Amino acid sequence: GIVLAVKTLRTGSTGFGFMEGFFALGTIVGVFIVPYFTSRGIPRLNIFFISLVLFGLSLSSVGYYPVYWWILVAYLITGILNMGFLIPTRTLLQVHTPINIRARVLSTYSAVIKSAVLSGSFIGAILEAKIGVLPIFLFSGMMICITSSFLFAAYLISSRKS
């Protein structure tokens, strides 16, 4: 985000702060939207996969259309969708993990997520110097979208068989 704001968009640290603020606002909105959908009977795994697919599209749109006002909108959407896959994941882990190992499972999940974020940032920093920040947003978003779409299709096919 900071490289995008400073190098590509030339908005400086203030522009980066607004981008992060829009993402944070999206997460707050997402905290209220996700329970609305689950209370309407939409399965948590459907919300999870749909959110991941749309998250990937939103992320890749930043690389495809690097205009500051759109990036603010995309960050807001991405924040909402972030809650769309985090809340169902944690809920499913809490509901389906036996009580005697729940704390260990949730702490392992947290460690894996934090490691993935750090690894992604590290790889992105290395690649940014070679190919630029916009292709990284475009490529990583499309990879999330494609992978999530295949996994969602596999989940839907397997759930229909059972």
Side-chain angles (χ1 to χ4, degrees), residues 46-56 80-81 83-85:
N46 289 10
I47 294 170
F48 170 80
F49 282 119
I50 291 167
S51 294
L52 268 178
V53 170
L54 295 175
F55 180 90
I80 294 169
L81 295 169
M83 290 296 102
F85 59 82

Side-chain angles (χ1 to χ4, degrees), residues 19 49 70 77 84 125 128 157:
M19 289 164 55
F49 282 119
W70 170 250
I77 293 167
E128 188 277 327
I157 291 167

